[in-house]
Amino acid sequence: MLMMNFLLFSFQPAVLCKLLVCGISLTFHLTITKMFPVAYNIDETFVNTANFASRVFYLYFSLMAARPKYYFAWSLADAINNAAGFGFNGYDVNGSERWDLISNLNIVNIESATSFKMFIDNWNIQTALWFKRVCYDRCRYYPTIATFIISAMWHGVYPGYYMTFLTAIPITLAARAIRNNTRIYFIKTKSVKLFYDFITWIATMIAISYTVVPFVLLSVEPSLKFYRSWYYCLHIIPLLIMLVLPIKSRRKESEQNHSKLKRLEVENTSTSNNYAALNNNLDQIPRPS
């Protein structure tokens, strides 16, 4: 009985919080989403008359408005799991309970993502982890490309899925190249880093919105019409960046970090052995009576 009371009061706040997110997301989807249809991005009148800034803003808001239906579904599933006692993930640094072990999204990190990877890591989390274990970590050559292709196949047969994930490949690789080659110059002071984060947030939101339009439109012709209206700019620019900036392989980077850790372990073990041998020698020195 005591255990049941403990569990009841333990997961209630998490469940109520996620149900609140469900309510807000559903309300947003039933009201705001209808005001920003994604298909309007390829409306000929809009494309021909709106300036570039207006088109960028509408692209961002229309794709942001398309996300709450996923927030609703995943938050509801998470709340149901927590209510059944699943998903406890220990405690945070403040001692508060965490019920996010099987959560599928982190809305704050999604909407404030400053990189393509950060967005992906917080969207459909459990599926992304499965892809990482099944494909990315096992693929010896071009794991990023292979993972995106497998992800497209996993989603279904609509052409829009394949167009989205194939578009994501050069954008992801280019974003990685930019981050690896430039970020070090923008983290020296808080103000400069804040400026860097703001610029990368804008770039990430535009790139994500551009990439996932076919995912929503599903068909080939509307998707190509959208990309043509943007002159395929976010296909061409990433390819040029990949030609100019060196791309450091994630696998090589992880192998180098692993080698460093192993070397430190060996050095620490050697140091510990030397201390142990020194202590043994000292113990063997005869003490004056």
Side-chain angles (χ1 to χ4, degrees):
M1 188 66 181
L2 290 175
M3 179 60 70
M4 290 180 64
N5 289 335
F6 167 76
L7 289 174
L8 177 65
F9 289 103
S10 179
F11 60 65
Q12 266 190 345
V15 171
L16 292 175
C17 180
K18 289 168 185 177
L19 290 177
L20 177 62
V21 172
C22 287
I24 295 173
S25 300
L26 183 61
T27 302
F28 194 100
H29 175 68
L30 295 175
T31 55
I32 307 300
T33 300
K34 294 181 179 180
M35 299 169 57
F36 296 95
V38 176
Y40 191 65
N41 283 286
I42 59 174
D43 180 81
E44 291 187 5
T45 303
F46 175 69
V47 172
N48 294 328
T49 58
N51 58 42
F52 180 72
S54 299
R55 292 180 61 194
V56 170
F57 275 109
Y58 187 85
L59 175 67
Y60 166 67
F61 283 112
S62 63
L63 270 299
M64 182 184 68
R67 291 195 281 269
K69 64 180 179 181
Y70 299 100
Y71 296 165
F72 167 76
W74 285 330
S75 296
L76 180 60
D78 201 14
I80 292 172
N81 282 320
N82 291 165
F86 300 109
F88 180 69
N89 197 22
Y91 301 88
D92 61 18
V93 292
N94 298 318
S96 301
E97 296 175 359
R98 294 177 54 191
W99 286 86
D100 58 355
L101 182 62
I102 52 178
S103 296
N104 226 16
L105 80 164
N106 186 316
I107 297 176
V108 174
N109 288 346
I110 288 171
E111 298 299 342
S112 63
T114 56
S115 70
F116 217 84
K117 182 181 183 302
M118 182 177 175
F119 187 98
I120 294 172
D121 286 347
N122 291 280
W123 176 272
N124 205 353
I125 296 172
Q126 303 306 321
T127 303
L129 291 174
W130 181 77
F131 280 128
K132 183 177 185 300
R133 288 192 295 267
V134 170
C135 182
Y136 189 89
D137 290 341
R138 298 183 182 186
C139 187
R140 300 186 63 182
Y141 304 103
Y142 308 111
T144 300
I145 297 175
T147 304
F148 276 121
I149 292 175
I150 294 296
S151 182
M153 297 171 64
W154 179 85
H155 276 84
V157 297
Y158 284 108
Y161 298 155
Y162 293 84
M163 296 176 73
T164 286
F165 288 105
L166 290 176
T167 300
I169 293 172
I171 292 179
T172 300
L173 296 176
R176 185 183 301 170
I178 293 173
R179 185 178 180 85
N180 290 342
N181 287 278
T182 64
R183 188 174 185 272
I184 189 173
Y185 302 107
F186 293 94
I187 58 175
K188 296 179 180 179
T189 63
K190 289 184 178 180
S191 58
V192 173
K193 185 179 182 302
L194 182 63
F195 172 76
Y196 172 83
D197 289 341
F198 178 68
I199 296 299
T200 52
W201 173 76
I202 293 176
T204 299
M205 291 298 109
I206 295 174
I208 287 290
S209 301
Y210 176 92
T211 301
V212 301
V213 166
F215 193 97
V216 179
L217 298 179
L218 298 177
S219 301
V220 174
E221 184 54 35
S223 301
L224 289 177
K225 186 176 181 181
F226 168 75
Y227 283 149
R228 281 197 301 268
S229 71
W230 278 66
Y231 302 102
Y232 296 93
C233 63
L234 291 189
H235 287 81
I236 298 171
I237 293 174
L239 293 175
L240 295 176
I241 291 172
M242 291 166 61
L243 291 174
V244 174
L245 295 178
I247 300 176
K248 190 174 183 180
S249 171
R250 281 291 179 91
R251 187 173 298 279
K252 290 182 179 179
E253 187 177 353
S254 63
E255 288 176 354
Q256 290 176 359
N257 292 334
H258 181 70
S259 298
K260 289 180 181 178
L261 289 174
K262 293 293 289 184
R263 189 165 58 251
L264 288 173
E265 289 178 4
V266 171
E267 291 175 357
N268 290 336
T269 302
S270 177
T271 302
S272 299
N273 291 337
N274 291 336
Y275 278 125
L278 179 61
N279 289 333
N280 289 336
N281 291 335
L282 291 175
D283 291 338
Q284 294 175 4
I285 296 176
R287 301 290 194 274
S289 55

